[in-house]
Coordinates of all heavy atoms in Angstrom, one line a residue:
D35 N -85.2 51.8 18.0 CA -84.2 51.2 17.2 C -84.6 51.1 15.7 O -83.8 50.8 14.8 CB -83.8 49.8 17.7 CG -83.2 49.8 19.0 OD1 -82.3 50.7 19.3 OD2 -83.5 48.9 19.8
T36 N -85.8 51.4 15.4 CA -86.3 51.4 14.0 C -85.5 52.4 13.2 O -85.4 53.6 13.5 CB -87.8 51.8 14.0 OG1 -88.5 50.7 14.6 CG2 -88.3 51.9 12.5
A37 N -84.9 51.9 12.1 CA -84.1 52.7 11.2 C -83.6 51.9 10.1 O -83.8 50.6 10.1 CB -82.9 53.2 12.0
I38 N -83.0 52.5 9.1 CA -82.2 51.8 8.1 C -80.8 51.7 8.7 O -80.2 52.7 9.1 CB -82.2 52.6 6.8 CG1 -83.6 52.7 6.2 CG2 -81.3 51.9 5.8 CD1 -83.7 53.6 5.0
Y39 N -80.3 50.5 8.6 CA -78.9 50.2 9.2 C -77.9 50.1 8.0 O -78.2 49.3 7.1 CB -79.0 49.0 10.0 CG -79.6 49.2 11.4 CD1 -80.9 49.5 11.5 CD2 -78.8 49.3 12.5 CE1 -81.5 49.7 12.8 CE2 -79.3 49.5 13.8 CZ -80.7 49.7 13.9 OH -81.3 50.0 15.1
Y40 N -76.8 50.8 8.2 CA -75.8 50.8 7.2 C -74.5 50.2 7.7 O -74.1 50.5 8.8 CB -75.5 52.2 6.7 CG -76.7 52.9 6.0 CD1 -77.6 53.7 6.8 CD2 -76.9 52.8 4.7 CE1 -78.7 54.3 6.2 CE2 -78.0 53.4 4.1 CZ -78.8 54.2 4.8 OH -79.9 54.8 4.2
C41 N -73.8 49.5 6.9 CA -72.5 49.0 7.1 C -71.5 49.9 6.4 O -71.8 50.4 5.3 CB -72.4 47.5 6.6 SG -70.8 46.8 6.7
A42 N -70.4 50.1 7.1 CA -69.4 51.0 6.5 C -68.0 50.5 6.8 O -67.7 49.8 7.8 CB -69.5 52.4 7.1
A43 N -67.0 50.8 5.9 CA -65.7 50.4 6.0 C -64.7 51.5 6.0 O -64.8 52.4 5.2 CB -65.3 49.4 4.8
N44 N -63.8 51.5 6.9 CA -62.6 52.4 7.0 C -61.4 51.7 6.3 O -60.9 50.8 6.9 CB -62.3 52.8 8.4 CG -61.1 53.6 8.6 OD1 -60.0 53.2 8.3 ND2 -61.3 54.9 9.0
A45 N -61.1 52.1 5.1 CA -60.1 51.5 4.3 C -58.7 52.1 4.4 O -57.8 51.8 3.7 CB -60.5 51.4 2.8
R46 N -58.5 53.0 5.4 CA -57.3 53.6 5.7 C -56.4 52.7 6.6 O -57.0 52.1 7.5 CB -57.5 55.0 6.3 CG -58.4 55.8 5.4 CD -59.0 57.0 6.1 NE -60.3 57.3 5.5 CZ -61.0 58.4 5.8 NH1 -60.5 59.3 6.7 NH2 -62.1 58.7 5.2
N47 N -55.2 52.7 6.5 CA -54.3 51.8 7.3 C -54.2 52.3 8.7 O -53.6 53.3 9.0 CB -53.0 51.7 6.6 CG -52.1 50.6 7.2 OD1 -52.7 49.7 7.9 ND2 -50.9 50.6 6.9
R48 N -54.9 51.7 9.6 CA -55.0 52.1 11.0 C -54.4 51.1 11.9 O -54.2 49.9 11.5 CB -56.4 52.4 11.4 CG -57.1 53.5 10.5 CD -56.5 54.9 10.7 NE -57.3 55.9 10.2 CZ -57.0 57.2 10.1 NH1 -55.8 57.5 10.5 NH2 -57.8 58.1 9.6
A49 N -54.3 51.4 13.2 CA -53.8 50.5 14.2 C -54.8 49.4 14.4 O -56.0 49.5 14.1 CB -53.5 51.2 15.5
S50 N -54.3 48.3 14.9 CA -55.1 47.1 15.0 C -56.2 47.2 16.0 O -57.2 46.5 16.0 CB -54.2 45.9 15.4 OG -53.6 46.2 16.7
D51 N -56.2 48.3 16.8 CA -57.2 48.5 17.8 C -58.1 49.7 17.5 O -58.8 50.2 18.3 CB -56.7 48.6 19.2 CG -55.7 49.7 19.4 OD1 -55.3 50.3 18.4 OD2 -55.3 50.0 20.5
Y52 N -57.9 50.2 16.3 CA -58.6 51.5 15.9 C -60.1 51.2 15.6 O -60.5 50.3 14.9 CB -57.9 52.0 14.6 CG -58.6 53.3 14.1 CD1 -58.4 54.5 14.6 CD2 -59.5 53.2 13.0 CE1 -59.0 55.7 14.1 CE2 -60.1 54.3 12.5 CZ -59.9 55.5 13.1 OH -60.5 56.7 12.6
T53 N -60.9 52.1 16.2 CA -62.3 52.1 15.9 C -62.7 53.6 15.9 O -62.1 54.5 16.4 CB -63.2 51.4 17.0 OG1 -63.0 52.1 18.3 CG2 -62.8 50.0 17.2
T54 N -63.8 53.9 15.2 CA -64.3 55.3 15.1 C -65.8 55.4 14.9 O -66.4 54.5 14.3 CB -63.6 56.0 14.0 OG1 -64.0 57.4 13.9 CG2 -63.8 55.3 12.6
G55 N -66.3 56.4 15.4 CA -67.8 56.7 15.3 C -68.0 57.8 14.3 O -69.2 58.2 14.2
F56 N -67.0 58.3 13.7 CA -67.1 59.5 12.8 C -67.4 59.0 11.4 O -66.6 58.3 10.8 CB -65.9 60.4 12.8 CG -65.7 61.1 14.1 CD1 -64.7 60.6 15.0 CD2 -66.4 62.2 14.5 CE1 -64.5 61.2 16.2 CE2 -66.2 62.8 15.7 CZ -65.2 62.3 16.6
E57 N -68.5 59.5 10.8 CA -68.9 59.1 9.4 C -67.8 59.5 8.4 O -67.5 58.7 7.5 CB -70.1 59.9 9.0 CG -71.4 59.3 9.6 CD -72.7 59.8 8.9 OE1 -72.7 59.9 7.6 OE2 -73.6 60.2 9.6
S58 N -67.1 60.6 8.7 CA -66.1 61.1 7.7 C -64.9 60.1 7.7 O -64.0 60.2 6.8 CB -65.6 62.5 8.1 OG -65.1 62.5 9.4
E59 N -64.7 59.3 8.6 CA -63.6 58.3 8.7 C -63.9 57.0 7.9 O -63.0 56.2 7.7 CB -63.3 57.9 10.1 CG -62.6 59.0 10.9 CD -61.2 59.2 10.5 OE1 -60.4 58.3 10.3 OE2 -60.9 60.4 10.2
Y60 N -65.1 56.9 7.3 CA -65.5 55.7 6.6 C -65.5 56.0 5.1 O -66.0 57.1 4.6 CB -66.8 55.2 7.0 CG -66.7 54.6 8.4 CD1 -66.9 55.4 9.5 CD2 -66.4 53.3 8.6 CE1 -66.8 54.8 10.8 CE2 -66.3 52.7 9.8 CZ -66.5 53.5 11.0 OH -66.4 52.9 12.2
D61 N -64.9 55.1 4.3 CA -64.7 55.3 2.9 C -65.7 54.6 2.0 O -66.0 55.1 0.9 CB -63.3 54.8 2.5 CG -62.2 55.4 3.3 OD1 -62.0 56.6 3.2 OD2 -61.6 54.6 4.2
Y62 N -66.3 53.5 2.5 CA -67.3 52.8 1.7 C -68.5 52.5 2.6 O -68.4 52.2 3.8 CB -66.7 51.5 1.2 CG -65.4 51.7 0.4 CD1 -64.2 51.5 0.9 CD2 -65.5 52.0 -0.9 CE1 -63.0 51.7 0.2 CE2 -64.4 52.2 -1.7 CZ -63.2 52.0 -1.2 OH -62.1 52.2 -1.9
W63 N -69.7 52.5 1.9 CA -71.0 52.3 2.5 C -71.8 51.3 1.7 O -71.8 51.3 0.5 CB -71.7 53.6 2.6 CG -71.0 54.6 3.5 CD1 -70.0 55.5 3.2 CD2 -71.3 54.9 4.9 NE1 -69.6 56.2 4.2 CE2 -70.4 55.9 5.3 CE3 -72.3 54.4 5.7 CZ2 -70.5 56.4 6.6 CZ3 -72.3 55.0 7.0 CH2 -71.4 56.0 7.4
G64 N -72.6 50.6 2.5 CA -73.6 49.7 1.9 C -74.9 50.5 1.6 O -75.0 51.7 1.9
Q65 N -75.8 49.8 1.0 CA -77.1 50.4 0.7 C -78.1 50.4 1.8 O -79.1 51.2 1.8 CB -77.7 49.6 -0.5 CG -76.9 49.8 -1.8 CD -76.8 51.2 -2.2 OE1 -77.8 51.9 -2.4 NE2 -75.6 51.6 -2.5

């Protein structure tokens, strides 16, 4: 599990139960 962990936000208007594992679906990233 050793790694740098990043938080990401999908800022597109999606359904209330929408989740995704695709990086391309995320618009903002932490450091």
Side-chain angles (χ1 to χ4, degrees):
D35 295 318
T36 294
I38 300 173
Y39 283 71
Y40 298 92
C41 175
N44 173 294
R46 308 163 204 187
N47 193 12
R48 300 294 192 187
S50 62
D51 60 349
Y52 176 82
T53 63
T54 180
F56 293 104
E57 284 193 45
S58 61
E59 287 290 309
Y60 289 90
D61 305 292
Y62 301 100
W63 295 81
Q65 293 300 306

